Amino acid sequence: MTEIQKKIYNSFFRGDSKKLYEYLKDKNPEIHFDYDEIEKEAHDKAFTVAKITKLDLIKDIQKSLSEAVKNGVGFEEWKKNIKPTLAKKGWLGDVEVTNPKTGEIKNIYVGNRRLKTIYSTNMQVANAKARYETQIQSDGEYFVYIAVMDSLTRPAHAKHHMIILPKNHPFWQTHYPPNAWNCRCKVRVYTLKELQKRGWIPQDFAPKNFASKDWDYNPALKDNINEVWDKKIDSIKDEKLKELAKQEKAKYGK
């Protein structure tokens, strides 16, 4: 990344990070029978739990997760605290749920496994958002894709371990992890000098899409990204720098 690009990106993202607590708390609670009823990027603003058709229960879970982030509560404690509320409102154990759109009735089991998915998914997305916003502000010009590389790692993710691309590359708009349910991959940020010191060479092109269909988006990028670009561009006083920022938006804006 050139010095000009650094100035542009620092101008864009300085001071825009939100606390994880505020991120989860400020989402709009919505009823959606299936997770994929919401467009991917819209999950940044909406809070929903699949198969829950009571808005007050969605709000209860949202509040409990927000408080868990704020107070550093792990899954076991969160699960213990939320179960009485779920039981009281009939969403624990064997549950019969009705799709409000089709009238279809489904029998599901709400237990530790489903609760673990709810907890992990929300924590992963919130943490990914905070991590991305911190990394994008850093001096490092490159993102490195890091897979865990153990027996539980998906083959597609292991295959792409150590992908190195500029952090403003469009690839990260769809592949900043998590890239699947319970994905444990991470991204680390490095300067060019740090890469050279390690003997790591950036790729010339991005690989084909390997993220699952529910996760091929960057949870940190909002659906109003054009508004963010325009607002930041207007704040740049130097006309030459402003023109270069417009060119950057044309290349990488949505």
Side-chain angles (χ1 to χ4, degrees), residues 192-211:
L192 180 58
K193 288 183 178 180
E194 288 171 336
L195 293 181
Q196 292 172 337
K197 184 178 180 180
R198 290 167 172 78
W200 296 349
I201 302 174
Q203 275 74 27
D204 294 327
F205 54 88
K208 294 181 179 179
N209 178 31
F210 63 87

Side-chain angles (χ1 to χ4, degrees), residues 9 22 34 91 112 126 136 151 184 191 212 236 252:
Y9 271 83
E22 293 172 341
D34 292 312
W91 206 73
N112 291 345
I136 206 70
S151 61
R184 297 171 297 151
T191 64
S212 68
I236 299 174
Y252 299 116

Side-chain angles (χ1 to χ4, degrees), residues 56-80:
D56 63 330
L57 182 53
I58 290 177
K59 290 179 179 179
D60 288 336
I61 294 177
Q62 179 183 11
K63 181 179 179 181
S64 71
L65 288 169
S66 301
E67 292 296 327
V69 166
K70 184 178 180 181
N71 299 315
V73 173
F75 169 67
E76 292 298 328
E77 185 177 350
W78 174 80
K79 176 184 69 175
K80 180 181 177 181

Side-chain angles (χ1 to χ4, degrees), residues 131 136 150 200 217 228 254:
R131 189 164 53 247
I136 206 70
D150 62 16
W200 296 349
Y217 73 103
V228 176
K254 287 182 66 177

